[in-house]
Amino acid sequence: MEEKNEQIEAITKDGDDDEDAIKGLEYDDEEEDEEEEDGDDGKPKRRGPKKKKMTKARLLRFKMRRVKANARERNRMHGLNDALESLRKVVPCYSKTQKLSKIETLRLAKNYIWALSEILRSGKSPDLMSFVQALCKGLSQPTTNLVAGCLQLNPRTFLPEQSQEIPSHMQTASASFTSHPYSYQNPGLPSPPYGTMDSSHIFHVKPHSYGSALEPFFETPLTDCTSPSFDGPLSPPLSVNGNFSFKHEPSSEFEKNYAFSMHYPGAGLAGTQGHASLYGGAAQRCDIPMENIMAYDGHSHHERIMNAQLSAIFHE
DNA sequence: TAGGCCATCTGGTCCT
DNA sequence: AGGACCAGATGGCCTA
């Protein structure tokens, strides 16, 4: 990158591109001169301010202005990209290795904002499937796969048009997932890196809701493409096999609390005590492995705490 | 090789 | 005059 910039600098210093622009300007001036001559022949003179002649000094100033303008524009775009990078980090599924494109970042951010707004508006916690469904609305297939990968979910289970046509081998897997949702593993998903899904992105998971991936999210039918909340149709059919993994043995107290607040944020950061009473005990746990959630480009400790707090706020 | 994504350059427009 | 912003053009890189 540095090298490229240096090359560009060199080119601009050499002035090859500017030479062309300057040639153009000189040509303009010649035209102007011709017009002035025409005016002498009785034809109407061109209105407006007279173009000044391109002297060497003016050419040099123009050149300098152009170089400065290019540098400013570069900086401006870098600033824009920095801002976009910041956005990538706060949107679900951040990954340094597999970056979302600009347009996909904006789309995902829009969906994310919409989903969070709906949570605030309705005061309800969505089930994971519906939440992911909302996040993936209008995203491209690769991005949908990425989001699914972050969550270790099978895109087929939350995209309506795919769920109808699950191949037989997948149906078996899906059935086993429905009955044993916490132990299902499908090896078909492409290997990492995926991004991360931090605590603020996951809300409480109701096991029974996995069979209802087609259900609307907060009374708003996701399949309703006429909804003003979204634009554009769903992504094309997906081809990636799922990979559910809901086993996790927290290794530290922080992890325990963190994992709990993530999956059962209704209990806030109070620990795992209220867990069984709320969700009928361990049989109904739905844990996504920590290594998957914090995988690859894990957020800092500070960010994790912030996310945990954020998730607690949502469910107070 | 086509298509997607990206960085950069450039000229136009608006504003200070 | 100069800076910010924008959109079009262009070329490079990568991947299916």
Side-chain angles (χ1 to χ4, degrees):
Chain A
M1 192 61 183
E2 291 285 327
E3 202 178 319
K4 201 174 180 182
N5 281 340
E6 281 170 19
Q7 283 177 348
I8 290 159
E9 284 288 327
I11 288 168
T12 23
K13 273 173 188 163
D14 287 347
D16 288 347
D17 292 344
D18 291 321
E19 289 297 333
D20 292 339
I22 291 159
K23 273 175 195 168
L25 284 167
E26 285 172 342
Y27 183 73
D28 285 344
D29 281 350
E30 281 169 20
E31 275 191 338
E32 188 180 71
D33 291 341
E34 277 176 18
E35 277 184 16
E36 279 171 2
E37 282 169 15
D38 288 343
D40 290 338
D41 290 338
K43 288 177 188 173
K45 281 186 180 178
R46 198 169 69 185
R47 297 184 182 205
K50 228 179 177 182
K51 268 189 184 175
K52 288 175 189 170
K53 190 146 194 178
M54 251 321 166
T55 63
K56 260 196 169 174
R58 290 193 70 225
L59 277 174
L60 198 64
R61 255 183 293 151
F62 173 83
K63 199 170 167 179
M64 287 309 297
R65 213 167 52 226
R66 201 54 259 173
V67 169
K68 277 167 75 179
N70 289 346
R72 276 199 309 274
E73 181 65 9
R74 265 199 306 276
N75 285 335
R76 198 180 69 84
M77 295 310 293
H78 288 164
L80 199 60
N81 289 339
D82 287 347
L84 208 58
E85 187 58 32
S86 304
L87 187 61
R88 281 192 187 102
K89 287 175 183 171
V90 296
V91 117
C93 295
Y94 171 66
S95 168
K96 276 181 193 167
T97 48
Q98 195 175 336
K99 281 204 315 188
L100 290 178
S101 71
K102 293 178 175 183
I103 186 72
E104 291 292 86
T105 302
L106 293 175
R107 283 182 182 139
L108 182 56
K110 183 202 73 175
N111 290 352
Y112 188 40
I113 290 167
W114 181 85
L116 295 181
S117 302
E118 282 303 299
I119 289 168
L120 289 176
R121 187 185 62 78
S122 68
K124 283 196 244 165
S125 309
D127 63 88
L128 180 61
M129 286 299 174
S130 301
F131 186 68
V132 176
Q133 225 178 356
L135 287 184
C136 293
K137 190 84 178 177
L139 298 185
S140 69
Q141 178 181 325
T143 309
T144 302
N145 291 348
L146 182 68
V147 173
C150 289
L151 290 166
Q152 297 291 294
L153 292 180
N154 178 0
R156 290 171 188 274
T157 63
F158 59 81
L159 286 180
E161 56 267 60
Q162 276 76 58
S163 60
Q164 306 288 337
E165 30 188 64
I166 298 174
S168 54
H169 70 281
M170 283 298 294
Q171 281 171 5
T172 312
S174 298
S176 82
F177 172 70
T178 308
S179 53
H180 306 288
Y182 320 117
S183 58
Y184 169 63
Q185 297 225 358
N186 186 320
L189 199 71
S191 49
Y194 300 118
T196 58
M197 194 70 181
D198 63 49
S199 66
S200 63
H201 305 137
I202 302 177
F203 301 84
H204 84 251
V205 177
K206 301 172 198 157
H208 68 268
S209 69
Y210 286 102
S212 59
L214 306 184
E215 285 178 3
F217 180 42
F218 304 114
E219 299 109 31
T220 305
L222 288 171
T223 49
D224 179 14
C225 293
T226 61
S227 164
S229 304
F230 290 110
D231 50 35
L234 274 171
S235 312
L238 302 168
S239 60
V240 169
N241 292 328
N243 182 6
F244 284 98
S245 178
F246 292 97
K247 292 185 211 164
H248 173 57
E249 293 298 326
S251 56
S252 67
E253 270 310 302
F254 173 78
E255 225 183 85
K256 281 177 191 169
N257 291 339
Y258 181 69
F260 175 70
S261 70
M262 178 166 12
H263 302 304
Y264 303 98
L269 296 171
T272 56
Q273 300 243 321
H275 183 188
S277 60
L278 277 173
Y279 290 96
Q284 290 196 355
R285 286 189 62 181
C286 181
D287 290 341
I288 297 171
M290 287 301 297
E291 63 268 26
N292 292 330
I293 293 152
M294 303 305 297
Y296 316 119
D297 306 306
H299 292 190
S300 66
H301 179 71
H302 173 71
E303 282 174 309
R304 273 181 275 172
I305 291 171
M306 274 181 57
N307 289 327
Q309 288 172 340
L310 182 62
S311 114
I313 288 166
F314 273 120
H315 299 278
E316 268 173 1

